[in-house]
Amino acid sequence: MNYLLLFVGFILLIKGADIFVEGSSNIAKFFKIPTIIIGLTLVAFGTSAPEAAVSITASLNKSADLSVSNIIGSNIFNLFVVLGITSLFKDVVTEKEVIKKDYMLALFSSIILLVLIFANYFIKGSLMLNRIGGAILLIVLIYYLVNLVKNVDSSKKVVEERKLSIKDIIFIIVGLACVILGGNLTVNAATEIARTFGMSERFIGLTIVAIGTSLPELCTSLVALLKGENDIAVGNVIGSNIFNILFILGATSLINPMLINIESVIDLMILVVASIILLIFGFDDLKLKKKEGICMLLFYIAYCVYIFIR
């Protein structure tokens, strides 16, 4: 049954991502909103819904290991696998402004999280993300969103005008529902399968659950790129990584302050390094090419081998 649910989850994710991207793109054109903004917000937050569901539920169940490892694992997967696989099909092109503002925030979000954790260690003697830290993360997110909205009109990307159709709204709702349901089915089935092999909660969080909850990002970015919506493909990954740390970990730590395991701190440092590598690799010429995508996938395989041995 778990293998069957896993298959159904994949189908829902792929088809849901397809119609979700189409609906989002059309809505953006109607409101004359640059597609990069839609990718960074609506699409990114929508595809991060599975991560939010898993991490917040884990926090309520006082399972900090699963909550934190899911987010860190998802962000590493987004950078190395989602963009890596996407670049195998087509060069992933981005704009300098997106790198300077949005991607750098995604990078600094990880650094801010590290600083908050270590600040608590020096003050109270424990590696923890407390409620104050969670509030700071949420404030940074609000500041980012306010500036994003204020700068919509000054964006260089001009989208074509289009009439609004009820079909577009239905596509967004149904597509997002399929993506969330598919993500949940995939995570639950994969986790049950993994447990039969005796894997630890942290390892499951970093791999099976992280990969499962990131499948919406993978499907959405890949479909978007193949449909010619490059801004949605890039914005989805960057926005998801921002949302995962600033909103999901911010909200979960407000619900329950989280003790952070030293291994999770190491994984967070790896995420920072991964972000810097991608900055060097793909964005030096504002283009992520096939050979760089292959290197990123190899890095991810090496990371999986490391955490398996650990």
Side-chain angles (χ1 to χ4, degrees), residues 83-90 289-291 293-294 297:
L83 288 178
I85 289 178
T86 305
S87 67
L88 297 182
F89 291 85
K90 192 176 179 182
K289 297 180 281 291
K290 185 176 180 178
K291 62 181 181 180
I294 292 172
L297 291 171

Side-chain angles (χ1 to χ4, degrees), residues 228-274:
E229 297 290 354
N230 194 87
D231 283 345
I232 288 182
V234 175
N236 173 42
V237 171
I238 297 174
S240 291
N241 279 20
I242 292 171
F243 182 80
N244 284 349
I245 289 181
L246 297 182
F247 176 76
I248 298 178
L249 287 185
T252 50
S253 60
L254 279 179
I255 295 169
N256 273 322
M258 295 183 293
L259 279 170
I260 310 295
N261 190 284
I262 185 61
E263 290 178 353
S264 292
V265 174
I266 294 171
D267 293 321
L268 185 54
M269 291 176 178
I270 291 172
L271 172 59
V272 172
V273 173

Side-chain angles (χ1 to χ4, degrees), residues 130-201:
N130 57 26
R131 288 190 173 93
I132 294 175
I136 291 172
L137 293 179
L138 290 173
I139 290 169
V140 173
L141 177 64
I142 293 169
Y143 177 79
Y144 167 69
L145 292 176
V146 168
N147 277 279
L148 199 61
V149 172
K150 282 169 61 178
N151 294 326
V152 166
D153 294 334
S154 63
S155 176
K156 295 178 183 177
K157 182 74 174 179
V158 179
V159 296
E160 63 185 89
E161 198 169 343
R162 189 184 184 280
K163 290 183 178 180
L164 182 64
S165 167
I166 189 68
K167 185 179 78 170
D168 298 326
I169 299 172
I170 293 173
F171 270 23
I172 286 180
I173 295 171
V174 173
L176 182 56
C178 288
V179 164
I180 294 171
L181 178 59
N184 286 335
L185 281 176
T186 303
V187 168
N188 292 336
T191 301
E192 288 303 316
I193 293 169
R195 280 177 179 158
T196 63
F197 292 96
M199 297 179 184
S200 70
E201 186 178 90

